[in-house]
Amino acid sequence: MPLTRNNFLRRPSKVKERRSQRHGVRNAIYSVNGDKYKGEWKDDKRHGMGQQVWKSGATYIGDWKCGKPDGYGTYTKGEQLYIGEWKDGKKHGHGKCAYNELAFYHGEWKEGHRNGWGEMHYENGDVYVGDWLMDKRNGEGIIRYVGGDWYEGEWKSDVKHGEGKLYFAEKDQLYYGTWFNGEARRGTLSDYDKDEDGSSTALTDESIKEEELEVSISALEVPSSITNKEQGGADVEGSEGQIAAASKMPTDSMDDLQDKDREGPQQSVPDDDSGAET
């Protein structure tokens, strides 16, 4: 066939084009931007088992699908370590994430966010176990503060909202009532009741004594022993709800009832390279 302009500019056949694509297991391949990938390919995309090292220092080892982490894998960047399930390049399913030596999360994820049931250990020693929605405590959950106090009840947008119980370890008392946007509204305060064997009955409604005195919530001071820090990113400060006492409530008991909530977003998941740079 004579060489003509049309023949010279003619595109290569699909067979030759397919052969030139990366397919199967390959040695380390370097990108122009400094990233490195070693593993399996399919149709010129990372697919199967492989290891990606980004120029930023982030590393992912695990399953790939159509060029993105998908399946089960391990991601590291600085102090952050995630081991668990992935979907379409994002944390999705069940996984464990350590943000540093003290703070870590173990539970469910959705599209890169803590979502569903999970357990969060904060850097200051507090522990939350319960429901999450888009990196915020939302639904039913219990938080145990490092000083011995604890709250069990409903949450919304990362603050106490709905019915709940707040235990004060210093005076061995339990507050039971309703909360709105992190502030106690109306409830009762009573001595903490335990079974003879020492187990707590304060987590059930029957543990609230009949002779509990009603208190309205607006004038009780917040103890200084409770801080408004929770690890999960930057320290987050919350509003200190005050509780007003009814005339029957003893003054020494009223001074301890307060809102121990840590308001503000608990977004402790740093941005990573797993989605944008894949």
Side-chain angles (χ1 to χ4, degrees):
M1 176 183 294
L3 182 62
T4 64
R5 178 180 176 84
N6 291 335
N7 292 335
F8 181 79
L9 297 178
R10 187 173 58 185
R11 297 182 60 185
S13 66
K14 292 184 178 181
V15 175
K16 292 182 179 180
E17 186 176 356
R18 189 181 305 114
R19 288 176 179 176
S20 65
Q21 292 179 346
R22 289 165 290 191
H23 193 91
V25 180
R26 292 291 185 96
N27 292 326
I29 296 179
Y30 294 85
S31 302
V32 177
N33 62 1
D35 297 344
K36 181 178 69 173
Y37 175 80
K38 180 179 180 181
E40 296 178 296
W41 296 79
K42 181 179 180 181
D43 297 331
D44 210 31
K45 294 182 179 180
R46 290 162 292 187
H47 191 96
M49 178 64 66
Q51 176 181 359
Q52 172 84 20
V53 179
W54 286 273
K55 183 180 179 180
S56 63
T59 303
Y60 173 81
I61 303 175
D63 298 323
W64 294 78
K65 183 178 180 180
C66 298
K68 296 181 180 181
D70 196 296
Y72 191 88
T74 301
Y75 174 83
T76 58
K77 183 179 182 181
E79 290 186 309
Q80 183 185 159
L81 168 66
Y82 173 81
I83 303 175
E85 297 176 306
W86 297 76
K87 183 179 180 181
D88 198 27
K90 297 180 180 179
K91 304 177 185 72
H92 191 95
H94 190 83
K96 303 177 182 179
C97 185
Y99 305 106
N100 53 49
E101 294 181 356
L102 301 176
F104 60 93
Y105 171 83
H106 178 198
E108 297 175 336
W109 299 76
K110 183 178 181 180
E111 297 180 351
H113 301 281
R114 292 167 290 183
N115 201 94
W117 183 93
E119 178 178 334
M120 180 70 198
H121 292 248
Y122 297 94
E123 188 171 1
N124 66 350
D126 297 344
V127 179
Y128 171 82
V129 180
D131 297 323
W132 293 80
L133 180 64
M134 299 299 289
D135 283 325
K136 294 184 178 181
R137 295 165 294 186
N138 200 97
E140 295 285 340
I142 180 171
I143 183 168
R144 297 187 179 277
Y145 300 101
V146 67
D149 300 353
W150 52 259
Y151 169 82
E152 180 188 27
E154 297 176 313
W155 299 75
K156 183 178 180 180
S157 299
D158 218 37
V159 296
K160 303 178 183 71
H161 189 92
E163 294 187 356
K165 305 168 186 178
L166 180 61
Y167 171 68
F168 302 97
E170 184 177 354
K171 290 199 173 182
D172 201 28
Q173 290 182 327
L174 182 75
Y175 168 78
Y176 177 83
T178 58
W179 306 75
F180 183 79
N181 286 339
E183 296 184 358
R185 291 298 188 184
R186 188 173 182 82
T188 55
L189 184 66
S190 67
D191 292 334
Y192 184 65
D193 191 17
K194 295 183 179 180
D195 289 331
E196 294 181 358
D197 60 359
S199 61
S200 169
T201 61
L203 298 181
T204 63
D205 292 337
E206 290 76 14
S207 65
I208 309 300
K209 295 182 178 181
E210 296 180 358
E211 63 271 21
E212 292 171 338
L213 302 177
E214 292 189 356
V215 292
S216 57
I217 314 300
S218 65
L220 299 185
E221 298 180 358
V222 180
S224 59
S225 59
I226 304 302
T227 62
N228 284 318
K229 293 182 179 180
E230 288 189 358
Q231 175 62 28
D235 291 340
V236 182
E237 295 188 359
S239 63
E240 299 177 347
Q242 294 183 329
I243 304 176
S247 58
K248 296 181 180 180
M249 192 64 195
T251 304
D252 58 349
S253 297
M254 295 189 296
D255 291 339
D256 292 323
L257 192 55
Q258 44 80 36
D259 179 18
K260 294 164 59 66
D261 197 20
R262 280 83 163 157
E263 294 186 11
Q266 296 294 319
Q267 174 67 3
S268 59
V269 182
D271 295 334
D272 57 46
D273 307 277
S274 56
E277 298 191 46
T278 57

